Amino acid sequence: MRETTVESRHVSLTSSTMDCSHTPSLVSPPDSRTPPTVSSKRQTNGTISNGVNRAGSEPVDATALSKALKNFEEAGHSREITPNASPSRKRQRVYGDRFIPNREGQDLQASFSLLQDDGSPATPSKAKKRTPHGELHFQKTEEANRTFSNLLRTELFDTSIPQPTPPSLSPDPTMARATTINDSSRHTPPTHGSSSSLPPASLTPSTPHKNLFTYMSPRHHTNISGHPTPSRTPGSRHGINLNPKSDLYSLSPVRFDSQRLLLSPRKQPRAVSKVPFKVLDAPDLADDFYLNLVDWGGSNILGVGLGSSVYMWDSASGRVNQLCELTDDIVTSVSWIQRGTHLAIGTNKGLVQIWDAEKQRRLRTMTGHTARVGALAWNDHILTSGSRDRLIYHRDVRQPDQYLRKLIGHKQEVCGLRWNTEDGQLASGGNDNKLMVWDKLSETPLWKFSDHTAAVKAIAWSPHQHSLLASGGGTADRKIKFWDTTKGQCVSELDTGSQVCNLAWSKNSNELVSTHGYSQNQIVVWKYPSMTQVASLTGHTFRVLYLAMSPDGQTVVTGAGDETLRFWKCFQKRERDGVGGDGAGMKMERWGIIR
């Protein structure tokens, strides 16, 4: 009916055209399978399509055409409109009050691995803002987030998919976690026999953060795969369940394993004050990376080299005394003997002086170096000195000789020296980027390490682990490396993001503190071996070039080119032997008024 009406109206509008035009009929080839056409219909269609453009034809009356279309619509027929865009293939979203996960046709192993940022490197992610990992509230928030994440995975998947290891608190992407040497890198979770043959995650472009499941309402879609919620709990196939820890008898919305996870005791992160409890002025404190001008002795007296003078600050009384003032020379290093009141002083002219701090008199002056002495280290009665002349001297202060041994190994200035008094090993660092370990008084180094790419000044032996040495590199390196001097290999390393000036191990816990220069000027307390930040302390406006620890191991003092000494309460008291009961930390708090 519709086709007849349209044809009749078109024929009436173009009757004159049909009289003057003739379209020959087409004959199909013998082998063609095209069905024969109706001649009358071809003539009509040919007239309608070609009559307008032919010469001598009458133009179409627009008023008559509009009237004809209007009558066609009034008769109850709808006009077909060509769509402007391709039809969307997006599935219609169905809303409901209850949703169940539809896991049919999904590879959970691949989907779960692609949820992680590390599993989809093909999609670039926006650089995250650096997070203050040393903040106490951040540590608590991260602990709560990890607990919730583990609980949610356990409730949803149980043991059906791999559980990722919670990441440790690292400074930020530029300050990566401690990397274990000779350890494998990240592993993609195994597929456990999955039949899918997906390419590796690194080759699969994807968006990291997306939904793992598709949710649909079973109320409107009864033919979807999956099982609806049962109306009653099925009975046990093996009789009555007598296990009191079974989920059947639990009043908690989570499983028993999850309850145990939530109720397990957790160690609270240790709070470290971000403000120094005392600040002292230190005029003329040199801003020189290669010097060692601050040391805290076993008699609880702090020695500081300022210009050509050495000053002593008594933490018990708070008094400051001048020990000495050099004539036409500059103090370049100071170091206290482990037990006693003797203080060694290195000078810019290459001399090493030994002073009795209690009686305030010089005992002797030793020669040998031809340039400034920037590093000193004691091992009982053996005093070791390192100089810009690239030499290291072992000196026995009980003998009249100037030195016992002469060590030749470094190609540039020696700026770091530390004795391991238990094993009798000496570690030396130089401006030639070398770290060397010497056994006792041997003149040949036991190990030579060339892994650092900048000067090695920061050196510290662990008091908790046998033959564990920590070293830090300068501005071009910025790494803290840990060495096993028994095997002669690097155990782990950490990129701190800034120049490492000093390192010191805590005497009371398996932690260490590092001071930094360009570009953060911060003091960081690390937990070993995870190397997570316990605290990050700021306050100095110049490079924190000097570091010393109190005898009780609770307080550290830092010095910088801003000519200030700042005292920080970084570590806790060691309870088992009563160390530090009324030591430096308590006594100095009485004098804790900031100037």
Side-chain angles (χ1 to χ4, degrees):
M1 182 66 183
R2 174 181 171 186
E3 189 173 326
T4 306
T5 305
V6 175
E7 282 190 12
S8 62
R9 295 188 183 278
H10 276 288
V11 169
S12 63
L13 291 173
T14 58
S15 58
S16 60
T17 305
M18 292 177 60
D19 296 338
C20 62
S21 63
H22 176 71
T23 302
S25 59
L26 300 176
V27 181
S28 301
D31 297 335
S32 175
R33 297 182 180 180
T34 304
T37 58
V38 181
S39 60
S40 62
K41 187 174 291 188
R42 286 189 59 86
Q43 292 177 0
T44 304
N45 293 339
T47 306
I48 294 174
S49 59
N50 300 328
V52 178
N53 298 327
R54 296 220 177 177
S57 61
E58 296 181 2
V60 178
D61 189 355
T63 304
L65 180 59
S66 300
K67 184 177 180 180
L69 293 176
K70 183 177 181 181
N71 294 335
F72 178 73
E73 293 177 356
E74 290 177 354
H77 302 283
S78 60
R79 299 171 57 188
E80 295 182 359
I81 303 176
T82 303
N84 295 329
S86 302
S88 175
R89 295 185 179 181
K90 185 176 182 180
R91 182 179 59 195
Q92 184 178 3
R93 181 173 295 180
V94 181
Y95 298 93
D97 58 344
R98 297 189 66 187
F99 296 90
I100 61 173
N102 178 19
R103 310 185 187 186
E104 191 68 23
Q106 292 192 13
D107 187 349
L108 295 183
Q109 305 292 338
S111 300
F112 178 76
S113 62
L114 292 178
L115 279 175
Q116 311 301 323
D117 289 334
D118 296 339
S120 54
T123 303
S125 59
K126 187 177 180 180
K128 296 181 180 179
K129 186 178 179 180
R130 182 172 181 177
T131 315
H133 289 270
E135 298 293 338
L136 183 62
H137 66 85
F138 172 79
Q139 298 180 33
K140 292 181 178 179
T141 302
E142 283 297 302
E143 179 67 23
N145 291 340
R146 287 198 299 270
T147 302
F148 176 76
S149 179
N150 292 336
L151 178 67
L152 186 60
R153 288 190 178 97
T154 302
E155 290 295 314
L156 286 178
F157 308 115
D158 197 10
T159 58
S160 59
I161 66 171
Q163 300 292 322
T165 303
S168 61
L169 298 181
S170 50
D172 76 74
T174 64
M175 295 175 68
R177 295 193 300 270
T179 306
T180 303
I181 307 299
N182 298 329
D183 190 10
S184 57
S185 57
R186 298 187 184 97
H187 296 278
T188 303
T191 58
H192 298 291
S194 175
S195 59
S196 64
S197 58
L198 291 175
S202 59
L203 302 178
T204 307
S206 61
T207 303
H209 301 287
K210 62 179 182 179
N211 293 329
L212 183 61
F213 298 119
T214 302
Y215 296 96
M216 296 182 65
S217 173
R219 182 174 59 185
H220 302 289
H221 296 267
T222 57
N223 58 343
I224 63 173
S225 59
H227 303 283
T229 304
S231 58
R232 60 191 181 96
T233 305
S236 176
R237 297 173 54 187
H238 304 287
I240 301 176
N241 191 337
L242 300 179
N243 184 11
K245 297 182 179 180
S246 174
D247 294 336
L248 293 175
Y249 309 118
S250 176
L251 299 179
S252 174
V254 296
R255 302 177 184 176
F256 178 76
D257 293 339
S258 300
Q259 297 179 41
R260 185 169 54 184
L261 174 65
L262 293 175
L263 296 177
S264 61
R266 283 177 172 79
K267 186 177 181 180
Q268 294 297 326
R270 177 164 58 88
V272 178
S273 175
K274 301 302 181 67
V275 180
F277 64 85
K278 189 173 186 62
V279 178
L280 296 177
D281 280 326
D284 298 329
L285 185 61
D287 184 22
D288 194 329
F289 176 80
Y290 301 99
L291 305 185
N292 293 273
L293 297 175
V294 178
D295 193 26
W296 205 328
S299 56
N300 213 4
I301 297 178
L302 182 69
V304 183
L306 301 177
S308 60
S309 302
V310 175
Y311 292 87
M312 297 184 300
W313 179 78
D314 190 344
S315 63
S317 62
R319 291 192 298 267
V320 177
N321 297 319
Q322 184 180 13
L323 176 63
C324 65
E325 182 176 2
L326 305 182
T327 303
D328 297 330
D329 207 348
I330 298 175
V331 178
T332 54
S333 59
V334 295
S335 179
W336 287 98
I337 194 171
Q338 285 97 337
R339 292 177 297 274
T341 60
H342 290 178
L343 178 68
I345 301 173
T347 72
N348 191 56
K349 292 184 177 181
L351 303 178
V352 176
Q353 299 181 2
I354 299 178
W355 285 74
D356 187 340
E358 185 177 6
K359 298 180 180 180
Q360 295 191 6
R361 67 186 184 92
R362 185 178 61 187
L363 298 179
R364 64 181 298 184
T365 300
M366 292 177 287
T367 61
H369 292 294
T370 58
R372 70 179 183 184
V373 180
L376 294 169
W378 285 89
N379 183 11
D380 200 6
H381 56 274
I382 299 296
L383 174 61
T384 304
S385 60
S387 170
R388 180 181 272 183
D389 61 9
R390 303 168 294 178
L391 300 178
I392 299 175
Y393 286 116
H394 289 312
R395 310 171 188 269
D396 191 341
V397 296
R398 302 170 302 178
Q399 299 181 6
D401 298 334
Q402 295 298 321
Y403 59 87
L404 288 176
R405 298 286 188 275
K406 179 180 179 181
L407 309 184
I408 302 176
H410 289 281
K411 301 297 180 60
Q412 293 190 37
E413 180 174 6
V414 179
C415 52
L417 285 176
R418 284 293 183 275
W419 270 104
N420 182 359
T421 56
E422 294 183 359
D423 298 332
Q425 291 182 339
L426 173 71
S428 64
N431 196 33
D432 54 358
N433 309 343
K434 299 294 190 298
L435 174 66
M436 298 186 184
V437 177
W438 312 77
D439 189 25
K440 298 181 176 59
L441 299 180
S442 174
E443 297 182 356
T444 304
L446 179 64
W447 305 109
K448 287 185 179 181
F449 302 117
S450 305
D451 295 33
H452 285 290
T453 58
V456 182
K457 176 191 176 185
I459 302 172
W461 291 93
S462 172
H464 312 288
Q465 186 172 339
H466 180 72
S467 301
L468 178 61
L469 175 64
S471 62
T475 307
D477 184 76
R478 307 171 309 191
K479 293 181 180 179
I480 299 176
K481 295 179 181 289
F482 297 91
W483 311 87
D484 183 354
T485 58
T486 303
K487 300 179 181 178
Q489 63 183 14
C490 184
V491 178
S492 61
E493 65 179 24
L494 172 74
D495 190 346
T496 64
S498 58
Q499 179 188 39
V500 183
C501 300
N502 291 279
L503 287 172
W505 288 88
S506 169
K507 303 175 183 179
N508 307 333
S509 59
N510 200 15
E511 298 174 333
L512 73 158
V513 58
S514 61
T515 67
H516 299 270
Y518 303 123
S519 57
Q520 306 280 334
N521 300 333
Q522 81 274 32
I523 303 105
V524 183
V525 181
W526 307 91
K527 184 70 176 178
Y528 186 82
S530 63
M531 291 306 289
T532 56
Q533 282 191 20
V534 178
S536 180
L537 313 175
T538 56
H540 285 289
T541 57
F542 281 64
R543 297 179 296 173
V544 188
L545 298 178
Y546 310 109
L547 171 69
M549 186 175 295
S550 63
D552 64 2
Q554 298 183 67
T555 305
V556 297
V557 58
T558 56
D562 55 9
E563 299 184 349
T564 61
L565 296 174
R566 298 173 186 263
F567 295 82
W568 314 82
K569 192 71 172 292
C570 292
F571 303 107
Q572 295 176 334
K573 176 182 177 181
R574 183 168 54 183
E575 299 291 345
R576 64 178 182 268
D577 57 2
V579 173
D582 192 20
M586 296 296 295
K587 291 182 178 179
M588 283 187 295
E589 285 176 358
R590 302 172 188 168
W591 302 85
I593 301 176
I594 298 178
R595 59 178 174 81

